[in-house]
Amino acid sequence: DTSTNDTVIGLANGAAGGDEITEASGAAFEVLEAAVTAVCEGCAKAIAWDGEGATALVEVTVSGANTRNDANQVARSIAGSSLTKAAIFGHDPNWGRIACAAGYAGITFSTDDLRIELGPYLLMDNGQPMEFDAKAASLYLKSTCSKHGTVAINVSIGSGPQTGKAWGCDLSYDYVKINAEYTT
């Protein structure tokens, strides 16, 4: 969910006196695009990281998609999954919840191509669960959440050239309590 208070609006009135950028190409456009992208990514991370009661930022990177939109859609599906968020808070390296969220994202891909990494731990490859040290992977989550760090989830859905990212937070007891008690 996104609050209407989580909004970014960019305006330009020419008061800065710089050259007008009239085309979506060229050096000036590329500098502006990079700056706006950096600011927006920073805001997106800050909003997610500052979720009421959140203990960790979750950064989902999806690769191997045919289009950037496909990659972003899968990344948003995983980052927004209540079951994935709850597993992170519970320090459960549950590859099934991540795979499920990727699967219901509405993007066609072969499950045989699915690869899931949680931090440094490979949980699934070629659509098959891998043997991994579940205690160490759980400790990765516990350690990251205990210092309000960033949990990295890397997912590949094929051999396409595009990647995407999404950010979210875990789903803690406090997050539920704060939002359950909040009224307008």
Side-chain angles (χ1 to χ4, degrees):
D1 293 334
T2 302
S3 167
T4 55
N5 298 325
D6 299 337
T7 302
V8 175
I9 299 172
L11 303 171
N13 65 5
D19 292 337
E20 186 176 339
I21 298 172
T22 59
E23 303 213 8
S25 63
F29 172 79
E30 290 173 8
V31 169
L32 177 63
E33 181 182 40
V36 170
T37 298
V39 168
C40 289
E41 283 186 7
C43 287
K45 290 178 184 180
I47 289 167
W49 215 335
D50 196 35
E52 300 90 348
T55 67
L57 176 69
V58 178
E59 181 174 83
V60 181
T61 304
V62 174
S63 61
N66 292 323
T67 69
R68 179 180 280 181
N69 285 342
D70 287 355
N72 286 332
Q73 189 166 327
V74 174
R76 284 191 306 269
S77 182
I78 295 167
S81 163
S82 294
L83 290 175
T84 299
K85 292 162 141 311
I88 291 167
F89 176 69
H91 313 134
D92 178 11
N94 191 324
W95 58 263
R97 292 183 175 183
I98 299 167
C100 178
Y104 66 59
I107 302 303
T108 301
F109 65 90
S110 172
T111 56
D112 291 340
D113 292 331
L114 189 60
R115 178 182 174 92
I116 299 171
E117 297 173 35
L118 178 64
Y121 300 96
L122 178 62
L123 308 183
M124 177 176 279
D125 197 20
N126 297 316
Q128 297 299 312
M130 303 300 293
E131 288 189 28
F132 66 95
D133 186 340
K135 286 183 182 180
S138 179
L139 185 60
Y140 162 74
L141 290 170
K142 184 175 183 176
S143 171
T144 303
C145 291
S146 72
K147 62 185 178 193
H148 203 72
T150 301
V151 171
I153 299 175
N154 295 303
V155 175
S156 178
I157 60 170
S159 58
Q162 297 298 321
T163 62
K165 280 193 181 192
W167 298 276
C169 62
D170 60 347
L171 184 57
S172 70
Y173 301 130
D174 286 342
Y175 185 94
V176 173
K177 184 178 186 311
I178 291 166
N179 283 285
E181 294 174 352
Y182 180 82
T183 186
T184 55

